[in-house]
Amino acid sequence: MQYDVIVIGSGPGGYVAAIRCAQLGLKTAVIEKYSTFGGTCLNVGCIPSKALLDTSEHYHNAAHAFGTHGISLSNLKIDVKKMIERKDDVIAQNTAGITYLFKKNKIDSYEGVGSFVNKNTIKITKKDGATEEITGKNVIIATGSKPTALPFLPIDKQRIITSTEALNLTEVPKHLIVIGGGVIGLELGSVYARLGAKVSVIEYAKSIISTMDGGLGKELQRVLKKSLGMEFFLGHKVTGATAKGKKVTVTAEDSKGQAVSFEGDYCIVSVGRVAYTKDLGLENIGITPEERGNKIPVNDHLETAVEGVYAIGDVVKGAMLAHKAEDEGTYVAERIAGQKPHIDYNLIPGVVYTWPEVASVGQTEEQLKEAGKKYKSGSFSFKASGRAKASGDTDGFIKVLADADTDEVLGVHMIGPRAADMIAEAVVAMEYRASAEDIGRICHAHPTFTEALKEAALAATANRAIHA
């Protein structure tokens, strides 16, 4: 065999798996069909969307918050071209970083589409049609996902677009229609709402971010409506969309089954993602993806039904999160090397990078109720946080859920300033099976946003919050 491990795909799961394999002394190769590494996350997902979110946040604060700080501006405007150029530069820096890491760790890379000839032989088809084959003892499939397409809603990539095209608009929409009230739709919707677009979110479920704790969705909807003027049409079933010239018309049925329509100049379709397995040649090794979501079946060790062939990230069961893929990449690398790694899927945090940010780990109240689990709940509002008052970020709260008998923390759910960073404290605590009392006893620096977590933990422990 030429290689100990061949990784197909260089997104967060793939490149982390490759680096960890190399660190463990395994001769490793990566196959990537695009000219840059990083997959969806670095090129058209997590990283570029955060760059745009950051720019739009600066603009919105300058337009609406600077005055309260005594900072006066005139003739404020957004240079969309410059914003996109900065985003592209951020992408370039990150993808170049992976190229450097591959060279540093002596990882061989191949550009082209990788497909199975047999379980140890991978054919690489290049853009010009030329092919070559490489062999490996183990193969890790890390091909990620792509936006879900609806058969009744054709995407023209001009006016009816996906998240990919939304990252490269040359103008601020006058009226942006977002189909889907999940993470991607809300983040991109908030980018353009901050820049002055009217944004209408159409969601089939009765709440936004419906997979997270119910209280978070309600609070986020309230704040986005108040601060950005975003409209929400929940319980609406989209039936179609058409584009004519610079106008997009979206048709739907409301919660009562009545026909309604929406007119805008752009429409983002963000109704989820589906595992990407095209051209992998899975049929050549006897693997059939699941009908729902196109996921590749794996066992508890992320190994497929074919010995030595593993799959990680968006292409397998579980949440489609870059950090989940990274942990799975590390897990599989260490498993191949003979170690005994561990992943607790209950403790993989979820984040929405709107403002305020939303973050969650562990079980929601809805899940605990459904399971009949007895629990305690403690919440603390950022309105009572000294640090939040100082920065003017008083929307949101932190909720701590703990076992009614043992006080072990079962879930932490927060919406507020820097929640994406603060959730890590909750993850650490839960990894060590901390009690709410434990968190409440930890000395938190004052004034900080994280004091709100301590107060919520105290509230969950005999209603002992000091500042509530």
Side-chain angles (χ1 to χ4, degrees):
M1 301 290 179
Q2 288 172 263
Y3 296 100
D4 295 310
V5 182
I6 298 171
V7 182
I8 305 177
S10 70
Y15 84 72
V16 168
I19 291 171
R20 186 65 184 125
C21 283
Q23 288 177 342
L24 292 166
L26 301 170
K27 186 170 174 55
T28 306
V30 173
I31 302 170
E32 172 55 57
K33 73 174 184 176
Y34 294 114
S35 58
T36 57
F37 300 123
T40 293
C41 178
L42 269 68
N43 289 280
V44 292
C46 319
I47 298 301
S49 64
K50 302 311 162 288
L52 295 186
L53 280 161
D54 194 60
T55 297
S56 65
E57 186 180 322
H58 286 312
Y59 177 83
H60 188 263
N61 284 336
H64 300 280
F66 277 15
T68 62
H69 293 272
I71 303 170
S72 299
L73 294 173
S74 60
N75 300 320
L76 184 69
K77 63 180 181 179
I78 182 70
D79 185 335
V80 175
K81 182 181 178 182
K82 186 70 175 177
M83 177 179 76
I84 299 300
E85 286 176 353
R86 174 184 176 275
K87 179 263 299 180
D88 290 340
D89 183 58
V90 170
I91 294 171
Q93 291 179 49
N94 280 276
T95 55
I98 298 177
T99 301
Y100 163 76
L101 291 171
F102 280 1
K103 289 179 180 178
K104 174 187 174 184
N105 289 282
K106 297 179 173 58
I107 296 167
D108 292 340
S109 61
Y110 297 84
E111 184 179 340
V113 175
S115 61
F116 286 92
V117 176
N118 56 53
K119 77 184 191 75
N120 298 113
T121 305
I122 306 297
K123 180 175 72 174
I124 303 165
T125 304
K126 301 177 183 180
K127 284 183 179 180
D128 62 4
T131 63
E132 67 175 307
E133 293 184 355
I134 60 175
T135 58
K137 296 176 184 176
N138 301 277
V139 179
I140 302 174
I141 302 169
T143 46
S145 61
K146 64 176 183 177
T148 299
L150 299 174
F152 56 87
L153 209 161
I155 293 169
D156 63 14
K157 297 188 178 183
Q158 299 297 319
R159 292 288 166 174
I160 303 175
I161 61 179
T162 69
S163 56
T164 300
E165 294 77 41
L167 297 170
N168 292 296
L169 293 183
T170 57
E171 62 181 350
V172 177
K174 294 180 179 64
H175 183 189
L176 175 64
I177 301 169
V178 178
I179 300 176
V183 177
I184 297 171
L186 294 178
E187 288 184 359
L188 291 173
S190 66
V191 165
Y192 291 104
R194 291 170 183 169
L195 301 180
K198 175 184 177 182
V199 177
S200 300
V201 178
I202 307 172
E203 168 58 45
Y204 180 74
K206 296 296 175 65
S207 63
I208 59 173
I209 53 172
S210 57
T211 59
M212 302 181 88
D213 192 273
L216 299 179
K218 291 178 182 176
E219 177 69 359
L220 181 59
Q221 182 179 339
R222 183 191 70 80
V223 176
L224 292 180
K225 183 178 180 180
K226 179 193 76 171
S227 63
L228 299 179
M230 291 174 64
E231 298 178 332
F232 295 90
F233 300 88
L234 306 180
H236 280 56
K237 178 183 178 181
V238 172
T239 55
T242 56
K244 188 175 182 180
K246 295 184 178 181
K247 186 174 78 171
V248 176
T249 302
V250 176
T251 57
E253 294 177 358
D254 65 15
S255 56
K256 297 178 182 178
Q258 299 295 314
V260 293
S261 65
F262 305 84
E263 286 190 359
D265 50 341
Y266 288 94
C267 172
I268 299 177
V269 181
S270 56
V271 292
R273 299 181 65 85
V274 62
Y276 189 82
T277 60
K278 185 181 178 183
D279 299 326
L280 267 175
L282 295 177
E283 66 279 1
N284 295 333
I285 57 172
I287 293 178
T288 303
E290 297 170 356
E291 188 172 339
R292 182 177 176 83
N294 203 41
K295 303 266 189 175
I296 295 176
V298 291
N299 62 19
D300 290 342
H301 302 302
L302 297 169
E303 190 172 21
T304 69
V306 180
E307 185 180 2
V309 177
Y310 300 82
I312 61 173
D314 287 4
V315 85
V316 299
K317 62 186 177 182
M320 290 183 169
L321 299 169
H323 44 284
K324 166 186 173 283
E326 290 180 345
D327 277 11
E328 289 179 337
T330 299
Y331 177 96
V332 169
E334 293 175 353
R335 184 87 185 170
I336 290 171
Q339 298 182 7
K340 296 183 179 180
H342 169 73
I343 296 177
D344 186 342
Y345 283 98
N346 182 53
L347 298 185
I348 293 178
V351 178
V352 186
Y353 293 89
T354 49
W355 195 265
E357 293 176 335
V358 183
S360 180
V361 66
Q363 294 175 286
T364 65
E365 279 206 69
E366 292 79 7
Q367 289 171 330
L368 292 173
K369 288 175 181 176
E370 185 177 347
K373 183 84 171 177
K374 293 182 179 179
Y375 67 93
K376 305 177 294 181
S377 176
S379 295
F380 187 80
S381 171
F382 281 103
K383 287 183 174 64
S385 162
R387 179 68 181 85
K389 288 176 182 175
S391 66
D393 295 303
T394 56
D395 288 315
F397 60 87
I398 295 182
K399 179 196 293 185
V400 172
L401 305 174
D403 187 281
D405 299 319
T406 67
D407 198 38
E408 179 180 352
V409 178
L410 303 176
V412 176
H413 311 281
M414 54 181 73
I415 174 170
R418 303 301 169 207
D421 299 303
M422 289 194 291
I423 197 65
E425 179 183 341
V427 177
V428 170
M430 292 174 69
E431 281 283 5
Y432 286 92
R433 301 193 67 175
S435 65
E437 175 87 12
D438 288 330
I439 296 176
R441 291 285 181 184
I442 295 171
C443 184
H444 287 67
H446 175 78
T448 59
F449 295 126
T450 57
E451 288 176 290
L453 177 57
K454 174 176 182 172
E455 294 277 5
L458 289 170
T461 308
N463 197 25
R464 291 165 46 201
I466 301 297
H467 294 91

